Amino acid sequence: MSKPSLPQGTRDFSVAVVRKRNHIFNTIRSVFELYGFQPLETPAMENLDTLMGKYGEEGDKLIFKILNNGLDNSAKHEQARADFEKVLDGKNTKGITERALRYDLTIPFARYVAMNYGQLTLPFKRYQVQPVWRADRPQKGRYREFYQCDADVVGSNSLLNEVELSNIYATVFEKLGVRVEIRINSRKILAALAELCGGSDKMVDITIAIDKIDKIGLEKVKEELLQRGLLAEQVTRIEQYLSISGSNEEKLQQLRQLIGNNATGLAGIAEIEFVLGYTGQQHNLVADLTLARGLNYYTGIIFEVKALDVQMGSIGGGGRYDDLTGLFGVPNVPGVGISFGVDRIYDVMEELNLFPEAVQTGSKVLFFNLGDAESKKAFELMQQLRGSGIACELYHENSKFDKQFKYAEKKQIPFVVIIGSTELAENTCVIKNLKEGKQETVAQASLYEKVSI
Amino acid sequence: MSKPSLPQGTRDFSVAVVRKRNHIFNTIRSVFELYGFQPLETPAMENLDTLMGKYGEEGDKLIFKILNNGLDNSAKHEQARADFEKVLDGKNTKGITERALRYDLTIPFARYVAMNYGQLTLPFKRYQVQPVWRADRPQKGRYREFYQCDADVVGSNSLLNEVELSNIYATVFEKLGVRVEIRINSRKILAALAELCGGSDKMVDITIAIDKIDKIGLEKVKEELLQRGLLAEQVTRIEQYLSISGSNEEKLQQLRQLIGNNATGLAGIAEIEFVLGYTGQQHNLVADLTLARGLNYYTGIIFEVKALDVQMGSIGGGGRYDDLTGLFGVPNVPGVGISFGVDRIYDVMEELNLFPEAVQTGSKVLFFNLGDAESKKAFELMQQLRGSGIACELYHENSKFDKQFKYAEKKQIPFVVIIGSTELAENTCVIKNLKEGKQETVAQASLYEKVSI
């Protein structure tokens, strides 16, 4: 057997990392619950039909497909060969693969809503925290298995949902201690800009180009717009748009002048003002007119979250869509959702040293093992502590003191309790506080009181 | 688009089900932590090499393999066709598939330990709660995606670990309110039985046959033993063994007579006595000599947990193994582990109605939406409650009272808070307790006090 290894782009999460990640997950989940969102879980596998064609041509190629079992059944070999030719031809065929790993949490959620539409209480507010899989080329910060943390509200057009979602962002990052800027824009404003630049058919070109401004800068965006067939005067207009700056109020004021009385644009401005009007100032909400978001399906407010103290891509994003479930036969279900980028949040917190020490708390007490009778007493006391909710361990064998101490140190167990023959006879125990280096002999009956501080 | 559906053998977990399952998961996790176990997570995908050949021929067939991406690259079609012929021949080939979904948590754990052996503090006590996938034929209670909950200790031969693990079982089921019997046996006793029946080469035959006794009964087990080539007198001896009954002490007494001075058998009896001697009586531990466990790799104490009040297969099982990581190049790492069958535990608790009502707690307060100014005030009060940890919601639009009440009822939200124009003017609000059907008008400032009871 060769040395074992992991598939490219996947990771083991060791104890310390799981605890840190759980700190992030638990914080996000508790805030979702605080805001009335409820948990949903869908299977890792979906029918290939459910996923294909939903993520664009590039996305389709990144879906992990599951090979059908039983292909070695010789009665079916001819058919299997014919089916495999289709795979070589870039087509999917149920003969070879009919299931795939989920690529995101949105399409499975849409599939769930479509299948259960009559039973759901609307608006339906669900959150979902599960891994997804993509056959992307692995690189720093990009994995083939990673968690998504999504919250969506479906069945409501109310902008109060956008207010709530921006507050969820603010609350989560405040609890995690990460200083952020929550950027919002409205797709309606980009639509208005497209109308002002020759027609709504320009919307996709404009969105795709603007979406890159953080990465490639204004000049390259202008080049790309020209390449995409926009006229020089239209590009100048977009440049005017992208150059709008100042406070939120100042930006919206300049935007109003640019947009004139374009109805779609004015509706977009009203959306942004509504959301800012609630808790915008308090929570560092920023109207960012250069924000576009890559995905095509957004139709209203869009969000993006950037960490203030670390150079890093967005650590959260989302927006409003008009029709979640139309693809699955249930039309006209509007919604709005946000997502947290847990891997990046982890990196930000690691870089800024933001994980609380308490996150790594494992066992609080190690009982030394100094023989059969001694360890039986230790076991009895340990069970009492566990009954009071204190995590503890009894060293597994009667080894040298040194070895048992080392175990406690490596596992960062703060208290060591020693019961030798003397302590056994006198109903006492020695408690050693490893951090402070102090020790004392106390009655066994007062053990809980001593270690529960 | 045809109606969406789920792959056979997979499930969506709706809100109420997720909450119940989390009650089970959280209980198990918290007990694992109480006993000094630490969390580990491994990826859903493993290299096919890591998994194949570890679960027997039948197991290999049930592994879900992932189709390689990029097979439509025309430069590689000839090779792909040749590789596919191997798949048709029942072989695996990296040209078509090189990754697969994990089949259990034990082999990934072994792979992890082998890869990180030098860095681990031994004994290493880890728990893991993750889904696994098997291409089994779906049927009632058997799924293609299901969670396993495992705790293992590696790097220790001490029987104290077996004591700890049986206490974990007892504590978890006590916390869940499920009355159980924890059955233990030792593979050493079965080994001794094999030696008494003509040689250790009979061990596998005897184990496999005995393992079925719960399902097929003694007579069929005897038939199977004869078919497997055991002689009539050997089968009689096994029948004597299987007929041992009485209290734990009585059983061990009869067993001693049957086994005589067979050293392996006496070692097995000593193991059972050690484990029973700690907390056996207190925790309903039963020496069950008919317990065999199907898997070949157990070498010492084996466990199985049965619910007392429901007819159901085992809801937990495990045992000691001599060599976890030998297959991955790190020999002589002994260990012992247990597993919880969450789907069955769920069914038992559902049947006995054991889920606490509090498990379903979602939002505690629904604020009615009665207009712009009113809802802005409601929003402000809501944020204060959330700041104090109370989950609440503001109805998303200014709808009729009736509709808003219905939403609260369907989501089982216990309190409704109503702020109309009068209350807005007077800084009051109406609180309605939906369960008790009572309502009262209170100052907005005392809202927290009223709903936090």
Side-chain angles (χ1 to χ4, degrees):
Chain A
M1 171 82 211
S2 56
K3 266 199 158 174
S5 64
L6 274 176
Q8 260 204 316
T10 69
R11 298 164 286 174
D12 286 324
F13 296 116
S14 64
V15 174
V17 180
V18 172
R19 294 207 193 280
K20 286 180 189 167
R21 286 169 59 89
N22 283 347
H23 174 64
I24 299 174
F25 288 133
N26 293 339
T27 302
I28 295 173
R29 280 200 194 95
S30 72
V31 175
F32 284 162
E33 291 274 347
L34 215 47
Y35 279 74
F37 285 73
Q38 299 182 303
L40 173 73
E41 288 176 23
T42 65
M45 289 179 200
E46 293 279 350
N47 287 324
L48 202 48
D49 282 353
T50 300
L51 304 186
M52 294 305 287
K54 309 301 191 300
Y55 305 105
E57 212 174 306
E58 281 309 303
D60 277 0
K61 284 188 186 161
L62 301 184
I63 291 174
F64 277 114
K65 296 162 195 101
I66 292 162
L67 191 64
N68 290 355
N69 292 68
L71 289 171
D72 55 344
N73 177 344
S74 61
K76 297 177 181 166
H77 280 184
E78 272 322 298
Q79 184 60 46
R81 284 190 190 98
D83 287 338
F84 190 67
E85 286 302 317
K86 292 184 195 153
V87 172
L88 296 180
D89 208 27
K91 296 187 185 109
N92 295 301
T93 162
K94 293 202 170 176
I96 304 294
T97 172
E98 48 186 318
R99 290 169 292 250
L101 295 180
R102 73 179 157 240
Y103 179 89
D104 72 358
L105 302 179
T106 305
I107 292 298
F109 175 53
R111 194 250 325 129
Y112 175 85
V113 171
M115 281 174 69
N116 298 279
Y117 197 66
Q119 279 79 57
L120 300 175
T121 304
L122 297 181
F124 180 53
K125 300 160 79 173
R126 86 84 173 80
Y127 69 88
Q128 199 168 345
V129 178
Q130 293 191 284
V132 301
W133 295 270
R134 296 183 186 177
D136 245 323
R137 186 185 296 269
Q139 57 183 53
K140 193 178 176 301
R142 193 203 278 160
Y143 303 100
R144 289 183 158 176
E145 171 179 72
F146 57 97
Y147 268 74
Q148 291 195 331
C149 281
D150 286 15
D152 287 80
V153 190
V154 296
S156 168
N157 285 308
S158 168
L159 281 167
L160 277 174
N161 297 304
E162 276 85 337
V163 173
E164 292 277 84
L165 292 170
S166 65
N167 274 287
I168 286 179
Y169 270 142
T171 310
V172 165
F173 287 112
E174 195 186 307
K175 281 182 193 262
L176 291 176
V178 178
R179 295 200 318 130
V180 297
E181 181 177 277
I182 301 165
R183 301 177 178 177
I184 69 167
N185 194 8
S186 171
R187 272 292 174 90
K188 293 197 174 69
I189 289 169
L190 294 168
L193 186 64
E195 283 170 26
L196 295 174
C197 291
S200 57
D201 59 317
K202 297 284 189 300
M203 174 80 175
V204 173
D205 289 322
I206 294 175
T207 307
I208 289 176
I210 291 184
D211 189 41
K212 299 179 184 166
I213 194 166
D214 263 5
K215 281 186 196 143
I216 63 177
L218 179 62
E219 287 310 311
K220 296 262 177 194
V221 168
K222 283 162 62 183
E223 274 174 38
E224 174 155 348
L225 286 166
L226 289 168
Q227 278 165 14
R228 285 178 176 271
L230 276 90
L231 304 174
E233 58 182 85
Q234 295 168 344
V235 174
T236 304
R237 195 145 209 178
I238 293 171
E239 185 175 3
Q240 282 180 341
Y241 170 83
L242 292 173
S243 309
I244 288 175
S245 65
S247 68
N248 287 338
E249 291 71 24
E250 286 162 356
K251 283 184 200 162
L252 293 179
Q253 190 50 40
Q254 292 167 59
L255 181 61
R256 251 185 219 98
Q257 285 171 12
L258 190 81
I259 284 217
N261 52 9
N262 179 296
T264 314
L266 291 174
I269 293 175
E271 288 176 356
I272 295 178
E273 281 180 327
F274 185 92
V275 177
L276 292 178
Y278 263 76
T279 48
Q281 270 203 305
Q282 180 189 339
H283 284 143
N284 213 11
L285 249 65
V286 175
D288 176 0
L289 303 176
T290 71
L291 179 63
R293 304 280 304 156
L295 292 170
N296 280 332
Y297 57 74
Y298 293 123
T299 53
I301 289 284
I302 46 180
F303 299 101
E304 211 160 90
V305 183
K306 295 277 274 184
L308 290 179
D309 304 314
V310 175
Q311 202 70 8
M312 177 86 67
S314 67
I315 56 176
R320 177 168 284 280
Y321 40 85
D322 271 346
D323 185 4
L324 179 72
T325 52
L327 283 164
F328 298 112
V330 181
N332 304 321
V333 178
V336 55
I338 57 171
S339 192
F340 286 83
V342 171
D343 286 298
R344 283 185 177 169
I345 294 170
Y346 184 97
D347 290 346
V348 168
M349 292 185 65
E350 197 72 330
E351 194 166 330
L352 299 176
N353 208 5
L354 292 177
F355 287 106
E357 226 180 286
V359 161
Q360 293 304 338
T361 305
S363 297
K364 196 161 184 190
V365 180
L366 176 70
F367 286 86
F368 271 26
N369 186 330
L370 302 174
D372 285 349
E374 292 85 348
S375 65
K376 219 154 188 173
K377 172 54 76 178
F379 185 86
E380 185 193 317
L381 294 170
M382 174 171 72
Q383 291 304 78
Q384 288 169 15
L385 288 189
R386 284 172 174 165
S388 308
I390 294 179
C392 32
E393 299 180 51
L394 167 62
Y395 196 72
H396 67 125
E397 59 190 12
N398 182 357
S399 304
K400 287 187 184 153
F401 260 54
D402 194 39
K403 203 169 169 190
Q404 303 196 40
F405 268 122
K406 215 163 236 168
Y407 179 83
E409 276 164 15
K410 278 194 186 162
K411 286 192 79 176
Q412 297 179 43
I413 300 174
F415 291 102
V416 151
V417 172
I418 303 167
I419 299 172
S421 51
T422 316
E423 290 81 10
L424 186 63
E426 295 172 354
N427 287 321
T428 59
C429 56
V430 175
I431 303 181
K432 185 157 182 161
N433 183 323
L434 291 193
K435 252 192 185 163
E436 301 174 4
K438 286 182 201 159
Q439 72 173 54
E440 57 179 327
T441 301
V442 303
Q444 287 168 8
S446 60
L447 184 56
Y448 172 76
E449 186 191 321
K450 292 289 176 181
V451 299
S452 62
I453 41 154
Chain B
M1 172 78 210
S2 57
K3 265 201 160 173
S5 64
L6 275 177
Q8 260 204 315
T10 69
R11 297 165 286 175
D12 285 326
F13 296 116
S14 65
V15 174
V17 180
V18 172
R19 292 206 194 280
K20 286 181 190 167
R21 287 169 59 89
N22 282 347
H23 173 63
I24 299 175
F25 287 132
N26 293 339
T27 303
I28 295 174
R29 278 200 196 95
S30 72
V31 175
F32 285 162
E33 292 274 349
L34 214 47
Y35 279 73
F37 285 73
Q38 299 182 303
L40 173 74
E41 287 177 24
T42 64
M45 289 178 199
E46 293 280 350
N47 287 324
L48 202 47
D49 282 351
T50 301
L51 304 186
M52 295 304 286
K54 308 302 192 298
Y55 305 105
E57 215 174 302
E58 279 310 301
D60 277 1
K61 286 188 185 160
L62 302 183
I63 291 174
F64 278 115
K65 296 160 196 100
I66 292 161
L67 192 63
N68 289 354
N69 292 69
L71 289 170
D72 56 343
N73 177 345
S74 61
K76 297 179 181 166
H77 279 185
E78 271 322 299
Q79 182 61 45
R81 283 191 190 97
D83 287 337
F84 190 66
E85 287 302 317
K86 292 184 196 154
V87 172
L88 295 181
D89 207 25
K91 296 187 187 108
N92 295 299
T93 162
K94 293 202 168 176
I96 303 295
T97 171
E98 49 187 316
R99 288 169 292 249
L101 295 179
R102 74 177 156 240
Y103 178 90
D104 72 359
L105 302 179
T106 305
I107 292 298
F109 175 53
R111 195 251 325 127
Y112 175 84
V113 171
M115 283 174 68
N116 298 278
Y117 196 68
Q119 280 78 58
L120 299 175
T121 303
L122 297 182
F124 180 53
K125 299 160 79 172
R126 86 87 174 76
Y127 70 89
Q128 200 169 343
V129 179
Q130 292 192 284
V132 301
W133 295 270
R134 296 183 185 178
D136 247 324
R137 186 184 296 271
Q139 57 183 53
K140 189 173 179 304
R142 193 203 279 160
Y143 305 100
R144 288 183 159 176
E145 172 179 69
F146 57 97
Y147 268 73
Q148 291 195 332
C149 281
D150 287 14
D152 288 79
V153 190
V154 295
S156 168
N157 284 308
S158 168
L159 281 167
L160 277 174
N161 296 304
E162 276 85 338
V163 173
E164 292 277 83
L165 292 170
S166 66
N167 275 286
I168 286 178
Y169 269 142
T171 310
V172 165
F173 288 112
E174 194 187 307
K175 281 182 193 262
L176 291 176
V178 178
R179 294 202 318 132
V180 296
E181 181 177 276
I182 302 164
R183 301 178 179 177
I184 68 166
N185 195 9
S186 171
R187 272 293 174 89
K188 292 197 175 69
I189 288 168
L190 294 168
L193 186 64
E195 284 170 24
L196 294 174
C197 293
S200 56
D201 59 313
K202 298 283 191 299
M203 174 82 176
V204 172
D205 289 321
I206 293 175
T207 308
I208 289 176
I210 291 184
D211 189 42
K212 299 179 184 166
I213 195 166
D214 264 4
K215 283 186 196 144
I216 63 176
L218 179 62
E219 287 310 311
K220 296 261 178 197
V221 168
K222 282 161 65 182
E223 273 173 38
E224 176 155 347
L225 286 166
L226 289 169
Q227 278 165 15
R228 284 176 178 270
L230 276 89
L231 304 176
E233 58 183 82
Q234 294 167 345
V235 174
T236 303
R237 195 145 207 176
I238 294 171
E239 186 177 2
Q240 281 179 341
Y241 170 83
L242 291 173
S243 308
I244 289 175
S245 66
S247 68
N248 287 337
E249 290 74 22
E250 287 162 356
K251 282 183 200 162
L252 293 180
Q253 189 52 38
Q254 292 167 60
L255 181 61
R256 250 185 221 102
Q257 285 171 12
L258 191 79
I259 285 215
N261 53 7
N262 179 297
T264 314
L266 291 174
I269 293 176
E271 288 177 357
I272 296 180
E273 281 180 327
F274 185 92
V275 177
L276 291 179
Y278 263 78
T279 48
Q281 270 203 306
Q282 180 189 339
H283 284 144
N284 212 11
L285 249 65
V286 174
D288 178 359
L289 302 176
T290 71
L291 178 63
R293 304 283 300 156
L295 292 170
N296 280 331
Y297 55 74
Y298 293 124
T299 53
I301 289 284
I302 47 180
F303 299 101
E304 211 161 270
V305 183
K306 295 277 274 186
L308 289 179
D309 304 316
V310 175
Q311 203 68 8
M312 178 86 66
S314 67
I315 56 179
R320 176 169 283 280
Y321 39 85
D322 270 345
D323 185 5
L324 180 71
T325 52
L327 283 164
F328 297 113
V330 181
N332 303 321
V333 179
V336 54
I338 56 170
S339 191
F340 286 83
V342 171
D343 287 298
R344 284 186 177 167
I345 295 171
Y346 184 96
D347 290 344
V348 168
M349 292 185 65
E350 197 71 329
E351 194 167 329
L352 298 176
N353 209 6
L354 292 176
F355 286 107
E357 225 180 287
V359 161
Q360 294 303 339
T361 305
S363 297
K364 196 161 184 187
V365 180
L366 177 70
F367 286 85
F368 272 25
N369 185 330
L370 302 174
D372 285 348
E374 292 85 349
S375 65
K376 218 154 188 169
K377 173 52 79 180
F379 185 86
E380 184 193 320
L381 294 171
M382 174 170 71
Q383 291 303 77
Q384 286 169 15
L385 288 189
R386 285 172 174 165
S388 308
I390 294 179
C392 33
E393 300 180 49
L394 167 62
Y395 196 73
H396 68 125
E397 59 190 14
N398 181 357
S399 303
K400 287 187 183 152
F401 260 53
D402 196 38
K403 203 169 169 189
Q404 303 196 40
F405 268 123
K406 215 163 237 168
Y407 180 81
E409 276 164 17
K410 277 194 186 164
K411 285 192 79 176
Q412 296 179 43
I413 299 173
F415 292 102
V416 151
V417 172
I418 303 167
I419 299 171
S421 52
T422 317
E423 291 80 13
L424 187 63
E426 294 172 356
N427 287 320
T428 59
C429 57
V430 175
I431 303 181
K432 188 157 181 162
N433 182 324
L434 291 194
K435 252 194 186 163
E436 300 174 5
K438 287 181 197 159
Q439 72 173 55
E440 59 178 327
T441 301
V442 303
Q444 288 168 7
S446 60
L447 184 54
Y448 172 75
E449 185 191 323
K450 292 287 176 184
V451 300
S452 62
I453 40 156

